[in-house]
Amino acid sequence: MKDSMHGKNGEDFILDLPLGSVVTNETTGRVIELLTEGQKELLLSGGRGGIGNEFFKSSRNTTPKECTLGEKADEANFTIELRLIADAGLIGLPNAGKSSLLNVLTRAKSKIGAYAFTTLEPHLGSFYGFILADIPGLIEGASDGRGLGSKFLRHISRTKLLIHLISLESDDITRDYNIIRKELESFSKDLGEISEILVLTKTDMISLEDVKKKEKEAKKLSKSVFTVSVIDDELVKKFSDELTKILSEEK
């Protein structure tokens, strides 16, 4: 991506930025989002150059001593922020299984571990031509900056689909679901309106009877509910097929 500014003597100064950049003019408040390949935006206008004495030269005035001063160029301070562009974002409380699911679906190498906040930055994986993003674990108060906070919530705004993961190890999946939904909606109205599917993870950690009970409870929270365990190839394949269909429809 390229943004251009005029330098000295009317020359263009080109600034290359990656796709997904958000450029904010701190002086005027203008915000530019670079979302398409080859997009060009004018950030600042250069000043008009002055006229030298050569311009005033004539047959009667062969050695002119006249000139005009140039005009001052625009000036401003800018902040540049890079936001991910992904087809789907995996969200949920810490240890919901986001990194493990991303790894098994896309062969990514996102760090996993039996403790909170193993993922400290978003990870991406390619899934049949779609990009999945593992968004670091959110906690209650994330929209106000708690934990990893809004540092990662902003990345979700670019996704077309939210894959909301809840671990079946939880003793209250409704509570866990509502915590994340509240943070999304508190951060931005648009974020709360992105399409979402609910995925119950770690089915291998509880009995089949309990899986069925929690799946029934989850269907009161979302119309699209799936169950998966990363060590169950059949469930992974079933979810993978369904996710492919959903993402194709979201295009």
Side-chain angles (χ1 to χ4, degrees):
M1 310 311 305
K2 295 184 177 181
D3 274 307
S4 62
M5 296 179 282
H6 288 299
K8 295 180 180 180
N9 301 319
E11 297 177 355
D12 284 340
F13 172 71
I14 305 297
L15 177 64
D16 289 320
L17 295 174
L19 195 66
S21 296
V22 179
V23 183
T24 303
N25 185 322
E26 298 295 345
T27 304
T28 66
R30 182 190 178 202
V31 178
I32 299 171
E33 295 191 57
L34 301 179
L35 300 175
T36 47
E37 194 64 42
Q39 180 179 345
K40 293 184 178 181
E41 300 286 347
L42 179 65
L43 295 182
L44 294 173
S45 295
R48 171 180 271 179
I51 300 175
N53 52 25
E54 183 69 21
F55 178 82
F56 298 97
K57 191 174 183 179
S58 67
S59 58
R60 294 184 178 182
N61 186 7
T62 57
T63 56
K65 295 182 180 180
E66 302 171 69
C67 67
T68 62
L69 299 176
E71 298 176 355
K72 189 176 181 180
D74 290 342
E75 294 182 358
N77 292 320
F78 292 87
T79 58
I80 300 173
E81 176 185 37
L82 179 60
R83 294 182 186 173
L84 297 178
I85 296 179
D87 296 289
L90 279 67
I91 62 171
L93 292 172
N95 288 336
K98 298 180 296 297
S99 298
S100 296
L101 186 59
L102 179 74
N103 289 348
V104 77
L105 290 176
T106 70
R107 296 185 181 179
K109 295 181 179 179
S110 187
K111 183 180 179 182
I112 60 176
Y115 54 92
F117 302 116
T118 52
T119 303
L120 298 178
E121 60 186 20
H123 289 99
L124 303 178
S126 178
F127 176 74
Y128 297 109
F130 299 101
I131 300 299
L132 306 185
D134 169 19
I135 307 299
L138 304 175
I139 62 173
E140 191 168 11
S143 59
D144 295 324
R146 288 191 62 200
L148 299 177
S150 58
K151 178 179 180 181
F152 298 116
L153 275 168
R154 69 178 187 271
H155 288 298
I156 309 172
S157 64
R158 288 271 175 77
T159 62
K160 301 172 186 175
L161 175 72
L162 298 179
I163 305 174
H164 189 159
L165 275 60
I166 299 178
S167 171
L168 285 174
E169 293 178 300
S170 170
D171 59 1
D172 191 338
I173 64 171
T174 297
R175 176 203 62 205
D176 291 358
Y177 177 82
N178 288 332
I179 286 174
I180 297 299
R181 290 304 311 175
K182 180 182 177 181
E183 296 310 319
L184 296 179
E185 292 161 11
S186 296
F187 186 75
S188 96
K189 180 181 178 181
D190 292 339
L191 201 57
E193 294 176 352
I194 296 176
S195 298
E196 178 193 76
I197 62 174
L198 181 56
V199 182
L200 303 178
T201 64
K202 306 183 184 181
T203 59
D204 56 291
M205 299 300 292
I206 62 174
S207 69
L208 180 59
E209 182 181 358
D210 286 338
V211 170
K212 295 297 182 182
K213 287 180 180 179
K214 292 193 176 185
E215 186 176 10
K216 185 177 180 180
E217 180 182 349
K219 288 181 178 178
K220 296 178 182 178
L221 304 172
S222 172
K223 295 179 180 178
S224 300
V225 178
F226 303 89
T227 56
V228 70
S229 166
V230 295
I231 63 173
D232 187 324
D233 292 341
E234 185 177 340
L235 282 179
V236 169
K237 176 65 166 60
K238 182 179 179 181
F239 176 66
S240 177
D241 291 344
E242 291 298 324
L243 181 58
T244 303
K245 292 178 184 177
I246 293 170
L247 289 172
S248 297
E249 293 171 356
E250 290 289 335
K251 271 192 170 183

